C-alpha cells in the first residue's frame, strides 16, 4: 500500500487584524526605502501622468457633479440683424431731430444757403438802381442801399433781420452784415423803408445781394 503523501503547506493571507501581516508589510516597505504611510501611495509613474494638464482636466471633469452643456447655444442671426436695424433707426432719428432743432453744422462739407426762406406775406425790395458803390475822396470804400419791406398779407407779420452780402468778380463772398428793420412788425398793407450804408468794404467787392438772414 502506498503511503499518503503529505500535503504542501499553504500560507494563509494575512488578515487585516493579523499583526504578523502588518509587520510583514511594514518590513517590506522599510526594505524598499518607503515609509509605512507611503506603502499605499500610487506609483510615481501614475502620479506624474496625473499631473499632466490634460489628464488632470479630464479627471476633474469625471469627478465634477455639476452639469455643463458641451457647447454654447448658437446665436440667432435674425435677432442680431433686428437689433442692428433698430439701433440704426434710432441713430438716424436722433440725427434728424438734432439738425431740425440746431440746424446744419458749419463744419459739414455741404453747401449752406446764403439767405433764409422768405417769410410769409413779406415782400423785400432793394432794386439795383438804389444801390450805391463808390470810393470816397479820402480813399474809403463806400456802399449804400435803400429798399422797402411790405406786408402783402391780411395779418400782422413780424419782420426778421435782413442780410447784405458783397461778392467779388469770382462770386466769392468778401463782406456781409446784418440789418435790423426799424419796425419789428407790419400791419396788413404796411411798408417800411430801409436805408443802409457801410464804409471800409473790400475794394474787390463788385456785386451786392440782399435777402433774409438765415436762422
Amino acid at each position: 500500500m502506498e503511503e499518503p503523501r503529505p500535503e504542501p503547506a499553504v500560507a494563509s493571507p494575512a488578515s487585516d487584524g493579523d499583526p504578523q501581516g502588518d509587520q510583514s508589510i511594514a518590513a517590506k516597505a522599510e526594505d524598499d526605502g518607503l515609509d509605512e504611510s507611503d506603502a499605499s501611495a500610487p506609483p510615481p509613474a501614475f502620479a506624474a501622468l496625473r499631473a499632466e494638464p490634460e489628464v488632470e482636466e479630464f479627471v476633474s471633469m469625471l469627478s465634477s457633479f455639476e452639469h455643463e452643456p458641451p457647447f454654447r447655444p448658437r446665436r440667432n442671426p435674425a435677432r442680431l440683424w433686428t437689433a442692428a436695424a433698430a439701433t440704426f433707426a434710432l441713430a438716424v432719428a436722433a440725427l434728424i431731430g438734432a439738425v431740425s432743432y440746431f440746424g446744419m453744422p458749419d463744419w459739414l462739407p455741404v453747401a449752406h444757403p446764403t439767405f433764409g426762406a422768405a417769410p410769409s406775406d413779406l415782400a423785400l425790395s432793394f432794386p439795383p438802381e438804389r444801390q450805391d458803390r463808390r470810393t470816397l475822396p479820402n480813399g474809403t470804400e463806400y456802399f449804400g442801399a435803400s429798399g422797402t419791406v411790405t406786408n402783402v398779407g391780411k395779418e400782422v407779420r413780424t419782420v426778421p433781420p435782413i442780410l447784405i452780402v458783397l461778392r467779388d468778380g469770382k462770386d466769392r463772398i468778401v463782406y456781409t452784415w446784418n440789418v435790423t428793420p426799424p419796425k419789428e412788425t407790419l400791419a396788413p398793407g404796411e411798408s417800411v423803408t430801409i436805408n443802409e450804408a457801410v464804409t471800409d468794404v473790400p475794394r474787390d467787392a463788385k456785386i451786392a445781394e440782399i435777402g433774409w438772414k438765415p436762422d
Side-chain angles (χ1 to χ4, degrees):
M1 296 179 60
E2 295 182 0
E3 295 181 359
R5 297 180 180 180
E7 295 181 0
V10 179
S12 59
S15 62
D16 295 338
D18 188 1
Q20 295 180 357
D22 295 340
Q23 292 177 359
S24 62
I25 293 176
K28 187 176 184 305
E30 184 176 359
D31 294 340
D32 294 340
L34 301 174
D35 295 336
E36 184 177 354
S37 59
D38 296 337
S40 60
F46 177 78
L49 178 62
R50 183 168 181 175
E52 294 292 333
E54 296 81 358
V55 178
E56 184 177 1
E57 181 180 0
F58 178 73
V59 173
S60 63
M61 290 176 61
L62 292 178
S63 61
S64 177
F65 291 95
E66 182 180 359
H67 173 71
E68 294 183 357
F71 55 86
R72 293 184 178 179
R74 188 174 183 180
R75 295 183 178 179
N76 190 350
R79 182 176 298 178
L80 294 178
W81 280 109
T82 302
T87 303
F88 178 76
L90 291 176
V92 171
L95 179 61
I96 293 175
V99 171
S100 300
Y101 186 80
F102 297 103
M104 191 71 69
D106 295 335
W107 51 265
L108 286 179
V110 295
H112 299 277
T114 304
F115 300 101
S120 177
D121 297 334
L122 291 182
L124 181 65
S125 176
F126 278 83
E129 60 271 13
R130 299 179 63 181
Q131 298 178 14
D132 186 8
R133 172 71 175 90
R134 66 178 185 270
T135 302
L136 299 179
N138 59 359
T140 302
E141 299 295 326
Y142 170 89
F143 175 81
S146 179
T148 59
V149 178
T150 305
N151 183 357
V152 297
K154 298 181 180 180
E155 297 179 1
V156 176
R157 298 297 182 184
T158 301
V159 184
I162 298 172
L163 178 65
I164 299 178
V165 177
L166 300 181
R167 297 179 180 268
D168 61 7
K170 297 182 179 180
D171 202 34
R172 295 176 301 187
I173 297 177
V174 295
Y175 196 86
T176 62
W177 80 92
N178 301 325
V179 178
T180 301
K183 295 190 67 174
E184 295 183 356
T185 60
L186 292 177
E190 185 181 6
S191 296
V192 60
T193 300
I194 299 175
N195 296 305
E196 282 292 318
V198 63
T199 57
D200 293 333
V201 298
R203 290 181 177 273
D204 52 354
K206 304 297 181 182
I207 304 171
E209 296 179 348
I210 303 174
W212 301 107
K213 181 183 177 181
D215 296 334

